[in-house]
Amino acid sequence: MPPHHAKKNISVQTIRRLPQYLRIFYKLHGYGRDLVSSTVLSKQTHLLPIVVKKDLQAVGAPSKLRAGFKVAGCIEVIEQFLGWNNLNKAFLIGVGHLGEALLGFTGFKNHGLEIVCAFDTAPDKVSQTIHGVPVYHTAQIATIITQENLKIAILTVPAYSAQGIADTLVAAGIKAIWNFAPIRLQVPEGVIVQQEDISSGLAELCAKLKTN
Amino acid sequence: MPPHHAKKNISVQTIRRLPQYLRIFYKLHGYGRDLVSSTVLSKQTHLLPIVVKKDLQAVGAPSKLRAGFKVAGCIEVIEQFLGWNNLNKAFLIGVGHLGEALLGFTGFKNHGLEIVCAFDTAPDKVSQTIHGVPVYHTAQIATIITQENLKIAILTVPAYSAQGIADTLVAAGIKAIWNFAPIRLQVPEGVIVQQEDISSGLAELCAKLKTN
């Protein structure tokens, strides 16, 4: 495990790249490989070898001199850093197209996330089971998340209803909101909001197109 | 307009934050405001004032001494930097839940992107019009994108079919692929791939949860 002070200085960019490395390490582990060089990792990720090295060293990934990174050890260190060695229970609010796409995403369990229930107001959604996940009426949020002791909310509602629901969630003791609604939420200190903004990716793409 | 050399050194993080500033500038412009301080921008974005200042200065945003940034000028400079003052025509491949969510996203036109058609293989999708966008069979991709001279592809297909479709797109002369499939695409030099990875956001959220 890396020393605790190392964790605090890890950049957002490094953190965002960790799942990518993890997927490669899982694959190599499946093939029975023990070691992998940063050159190979660089080729598979399309990142510079120095970036790969710095990222992995930042989380304290174990390596063997002149032989490369230890595959099993790297999996352990990254999973531990992200808390993906335990399953966090989460719930989703807003079963529209995006919500349904997320409910159907099978990759979350490898990423330490289990969506145990969902909420919506549409009569044709409530009481249904979508991709194995039961859907309840939004009016029941506070009751159910307190009962089940759920701490992570995934918000896939329209922008106009996002803040109202966020207020309900905060009042019910939620610790973290993964927000896909295109609006900045106002929450008290101590509540984590992870904002997904589709236009950020589009901005990156357009900037690349302009300089190409 | 900023000097050309300035554009080259702008960080990915700055670029990803530009749409956020742009939305605030649009709103202020709608209210008839001419100037805005970095303190106000900082409060609305939850970013440090120094980050706001550096980001905006990087794209050459015009300001007035001790009065703040010029709203209309900032809109012009950011739109020009991202190429969002012109509408880029794009098409989407894979009309599943995520694809349909993107087709229904009304914000793209403000972001210089117009999705003019979509492709799928499912008989209940082909020949339909979804959110005003016509859906064609995937077999017609090469013909239609050549005819319409489309250069930007949005890829929302499953991982196993993404590379095959990417090869078709490259052969048809596509310049940029916005890839939502969870796989690194292999493309020749000169073709831009913007990879969206849902697990990057989740990694950020989990890292924040761990250190909270």
Side-chain angles (χ1 to χ4, degrees):
Chain A
M1 218 185 98
H4 194 258
H5 72 271
K7 288 192 181 180
K8 295 225 159 175
N9 298 320
I10 296 181
S11 76
V12 170
Q13 286 300 81
T14 295
I15 291 169
R16 292 180 64 88
R17 285 189 288 261
L18 292 177
Q20 209 184 131
Y21 299 124
L22 199 52
R23 277 195 291 269
I24 297 171
F25 286 128
Y26 284 143
K27 209 186 279 181
L28 292 169
H29 193 64
Y31 294 153
R33 287 276 300 275
D34 293 328
L35 293 161
V36 60
S37 68
S38 49
T39 318
V40 168
L41 290 171
S42 160
K43 276 194 191 137
Q44 297 209 15
T45 56
H46 304 184
L47 296 163
L48 292 172
I50 182 72
V51 173
V52 173
K53 264 188 213 169
K54 280 194 175 172
D55 283 349
L56 293 175
Q57 282 164 358
V59 290
S63 57
K64 200 173 161 182
L65 198 65
R66 274 185 287 277
F69 288 98
K70 295 179 182 176
V71 173
C74 285
I75 291 176
E76 201 184 323
V77 159
I78 298 175
E79 281 188 344
Q80 188 144 18
F81 176 81
L82 295 172
W84 289 1
N85 43 350
N86 293 310
L87 219 51
N88 288 304
K89 286 187 178 179
F91 60 100
L92 182 141
I93 308 144
V95 192
H97 288 298
L98 178 60
E100 200 157 324
L102 291 179
L103 289 179
F105 183 53
T106 53
F108 283 140
K109 278 199 183 162
N110 291 329
H111 299 349
L113 198 78
E114 188 188 2
I115 306 178
V116 296
C117 59
F119 297 91
D120 205 293
T121 50
D124 61 329
K125 299 274 170 67
V126 176
S127 306
Q128 299 296 311
T129 299
I130 295 178
H131 297 295
V133 178
V135 182
Y136 302 108
H137 194 280
T138 308
Q140 293 177 272
I141 288 183
T143 317
I144 291 175
I145 65 178
T146 312
Q147 244 169 36
E148 305 283 327
N149 196 27
L150 302 175
K151 298 294 180 204
I152 304 177
I154 304 171
L155 207 53
T156 46
V157 296
Y160 60 84
S161 55
Q163 185 62 53
I165 290 173
D167 294 343
T168 307
L169 295 174
V170 167
I174 233 59
K175 271 190 184 169
I177 301 173
W178 194 8
N179 183 30
F180 290 79
I183 180 182
R184 298 275 131 183
L185 299 174
Q186 305 291 330
V187 296
E189 203 138 338
V191 176
I192 295 164
V193 175
Q194 172 66 27
Q195 177 74 37
E196 291 299 319
D197 191 344
I198 185 92
S199 55
S200 290
L202 184 57
E204 258 193 82
L205 177 72
C206 292
K208 286 178 198 165
L209 263 175
K210 286 270 290 184
T211 53
N212 206 35
Chain B
M1 219 183 97
H4 194 257
H5 71 271
K7 287 193 182 181
K8 296 225 160 176
N9 298 320
I10 296 180
S11 76
V12 170
Q13 288 299 83
T14 295
I15 292 170
R16 292 181 65 88
R17 285 190 288 263
L18 292 177
Q20 208 185 132
Y21 300 124
L22 199 52
R23 276 194 292 268
I24 297 171
F25 287 129
Y26 284 144
K27 208 186 280 180
L28 292 169
H29 193 65
Y31 295 153
R33 288 274 301 276
D34 292 329
L35 293 161
V36 61
S37 68
S38 49
T39 318
V40 169
L41 290 172
S42 162
K43 276 194 189 137
Q44 296 209 14
T45 55
H46 306 183
L47 295 163
L48 292 172
I50 182 72
V51 173
V52 172
K53 262 187 215 172
K54 279 193 177 174
D55 282 349
L56 293 175
Q57 282 164 358
V59 289
S63 58
K64 199 173 161 180
L65 198 65
R66 277 186 284 277
F69 288 96
K70 295 179 182 176
V71 174
C74 286
I75 291 175
E76 201 184 322
V77 160
I78 297 175
E79 282 187 343
Q80 188 144 19
F81 177 81
L82 295 171
W84 289 1
N85 44 349
N86 293 310
L87 220 49
N88 287 303
K89 286 189 180 180
F91 59 101
L92 182 140
I93 308 144
V95 192
H97 288 299
L98 178 60
E100 199 156 327
L102 292 178
L103 289 180
F105 183 54
T106 53
F108 283 140
K109 279 200 184 162
N110 290 329
H111 299 347
L113 197 78
E114 187 187 3
I115 305 179
V116 295
C117 59
F119 297 90
D120 205 292
T121 51
D124 61 328
K125 299 275 169 66
V126 176
S127 306
Q128 299 295 310
T129 299
I130 296 179
H131 297 294
V133 178
V135 181
Y136 303 107
H137 194 281
T138 308
Q140 293 178 272
I141 288 182
T143 316
I144 291 176
I145 65 178
T146 312
Q147 244 169 38
E148 303 283 326
N149 196 26
L150 302 175
K151 298 295 180 205
I152 304 177
I154 304 171
L155 208 52
T156 47
V157 296
Y160 60 83
S161 55
Q163 184 62 54
I165 290 174
D167 294 344
T168 307
L169 295 174
V170 167
I174 233 59
K175 271 191 184 168
I177 301 174
W178 195 7
N179 182 30
F180 289 80
I183 180 182
R184 298 275 131 183
L185 298 174
Q186 307 290 331
V187 296
E189 204 139 336
V191 176
I192 295 164
V193 176
Q194 171 65 27
Q195 178 74 38
E196 291 298 318
D197 191 345
I198 185 92
S199 55
S200 290
L202 184 57
E204 258 193 82
L205 176 72
C206 291
K208 286 178 198 164
L209 264 174
K210 287 269 290 183
T211 54
N212 205 36

